Amino acid sequence: MEFPLINLEKLNGEARKDTLEQIKDACENWGFFELINHGIPHDLMDTLESLTKEHYRKCMEHRFKDLVASRGLDAVQTEVKDMDWESTYHVRHLPESNISEIPDLTDEHRKVMKEFALRLEKLAEELLDLLCENLGLEKGYLKKAFYGSRGPTFGTKVANYPPCPKPELVKGLRAHTDAGGIILLFQDDKVSGLQLLKDGQWVDVPPMRHSIVVNLGDQLEVITNGLYKSVEHRVIAQADGTRMSIASFYNPGSDAVIYPAPALLEREAEDKSHVYPKFVFEDYMKLYAGLKFHAKEPRFEALKASSVNLGPIATV
């Protein structure tokens, strides 16, 4: 069972068809894949990594240690089920950036992160169009579906997972699916920990230098009416080394109305019994906030019950 590794450079040549097929297979069977030759300069990634790790050491590490000590987490004897062994902060890029408000970042760090986010945004939109191509949807369909009145939301969660004395009792990050659209992750290439659930088994997402790991969120499952599924994943805390994770979320705008693509429903006309709900993305996020670490299916069911007010799903 080999984790899907996609060489994006091959889209430009004779191997385009095969590369699209690899992406299709990864979306249908894994919900995750890893990209190489994605067009983001390696020196930009190296600079961001070094600035992120330095910022953690200087500004966040002591706070995390204080928190751990105050909660007695370094001496736990039983499994901790309500907390994650991670130190994080969040940056919003779209619809408007808040990077100038993030405390303790140097000017260079802000500049590099802005540049990286711009390139990731472009990559996310390119990937959405490749998904459209594989799904037989018109180019731009998914971007439009995410648009809302002010465009998509796009933000980054910067996380560090420090060494944990009891990794068997505390998860780095508990198992969950991602609520949003398409997620692009720049992860540590030396310290592993990210795992996804495939066929009932936890599978490591291999750390690889300069790669971008991509996974699909709940909204793509809804729009594809379950053809592509968001997949449960978690981070295992490690006894040695601090793992860096820079995860960027390209999500629908808060007022975007999300529903299965009519063209896909047409094709599956013989089975109308299982159609995903229609809802406003912000309503999904309110539900998700309290149920992130629970199964996603009840979230969809709850929205199905309340989606009658939004009217029927149009079919082409």
Side-chain angles (χ1 to χ4, degrees):
M1 193 161 58
E2 211 169 302
F3 190 85
L5 181 64
I6 314 278
N7 182 349
L8 265 197
E9 243 177 14
K10 293 197 168 171
L11 281 171
N12 304 321
E14 289 172 15
R16 181 180 175 83
K17 195 174 168 220
D18 286 349
T19 309
L20 280 168
E21 193 54 47
Q22 284 172 9
I23 294 171
K24 180 175 184 282
D25 182 70
C27 289
E28 288 179 358
N29 297 307
W30 288 78
F32 267 78
F33 51 93
E34 197 155 3
L35 293 178
I36 55 171
N37 296 322
H38 40 64
I40 297 175
H42 290 179
D43 59 349
L44 179 67
M45 297 176 83
D46 291 341
T47 306
L48 180 58
E49 179 173 358
S50 114
L51 290 166
T52 302
K53 289 182 171 179
E54 185 185 3
H55 171 259
Y56 173 73
R57 280 193 303 271
K58 278 187 177 172
C59 306
M60 297 180 77
E61 190 170 30
H62 64 281
R63 284 182 220 150
F64 184 77
K65 284 179 176 168
D66 291 348
L67 176 73
V68 163
S70 72
R71 299 207 179 177
L73 282 173
D74 41 2
V76 292
Q77 299 300 321
T78 55
E79 191 180 351
V80 177
K81 294 184 175 174
D82 60 351
M83 194 181 155
D84 302 307
W85 189 271
E86 61 173 5
S87 171
T88 65
Y89 64 94
H90 295 80
V91 185
R92 189 179 63 244
H93 311 299
L94 294 174
E96 64 281 306
S97 172
N98 71 344
I99 197 162
S100 60
E101 298 158 30
I102 308 295
D104 306 325
L105 295 185
T106 63
D107 288 346
E108 187 196 5
H109 197 163
R110 289 181 217 275
K111 184 170 163 254
V112 169
M113 191 170 246
K114 259 187 195 171
E115 171 65 18
F116 183 67
L118 279 170
R119 288 178 180 270
L120 269 191
E121 182 193 337
K122 192 166 164 275
L123 179 58
E125 291 176 351
E126 186 187 331
L127 288 168
L128 287 176
D129 276 344
L130 294 172
L131 266 53
C132 285
E133 196 171 334
N134 276 336
L135 290 161
L137 297 170
E138 65 189 58
K139 190 177 179 185
Y141 181 91
L142 289 171
K143 184 181 173 183
K144 208 160 124 191
F146 283 15
Y147 212 76
S149 60
R150 299 176 64 206
T153 48
F154 185 49
T156 297
K157 173 188 172 183
V158 180
N160 284 276
Y161 298 91
C164 177
K166 302 274 179 73
E168 68 286 359
L169 297 178
V170 191
K171 291 281 179 293
L173 178 59
R174 289 161 284 166
H176 64 288
T177 63
D178 288 329
I182 191 165
I183 299 87
L184 295 91
L185 167 69
F186 171 25
Q187 69 166 345
D188 205 293
D189 64 305
K190 293 179 185 67
V191 184
S192 65
L194 178 61
Q195 297 182 327
L196 65 95
L197 192 61
K198 175 157 173 62
D199 305 327
Q201 306 264 314
W202 287 104
V203 178
D204 289 325
V205 177
M208 187 180 291
R209 193 156 170 72
H210 299 136
S211 75
I212 296 284
V213 175
V214 178
N215 72 288
L216 311 180
D218 295 348
Q219 305 313 302
L220 283 175
E221 179 166 337
V222 173
I223 294 171
T224 64
N225 202 46
L227 191 60
Y228 294 171
K229 287 190 167 61
S230 59
V231 168
E232 221 174 307
H233 52 285
R234 67 184 185 184
V235 177
I236 296 296
Q238 305 290 343
D240 302 304
T242 296
R243 174 178 176 265
M244 177 200 78
S245 157
I246 300 174
S248 297
F249 299 79
Y250 187 100
N251 291 347
S254 57
D255 63 351
V257 179
I258 303 299
Y259 54 89
L264 296 179
L265 290 184
E266 284 266 304
R267 265 175 262 158
E268 298 161 20
E270 65 279 2
D271 179 21
K272 289 283 189 201
S273 60
H274 189 69
V275 176
Y276 279 70
K278 179 180 189 179
F279 52 83
V280 176
F281 180 58
E282 191 173 27
D283 292 341
Y284 189 83
M285 289 310 287
K286 284 176 189 161
L287 197 60
Y288 181 84
L291 300 168
K292 174 176 179 175
F293 300 110
H294 294 70
K296 62 189 167 180
E297 289 76 14
R299 299 197 288 265
F300 294 143
E301 287 306 315
L303 285 160
K304 197 175 269 187
S306 63
S307 67
V308 285
N309 304 331
L310 287 169
I313 294 168
T315 49
V316 286

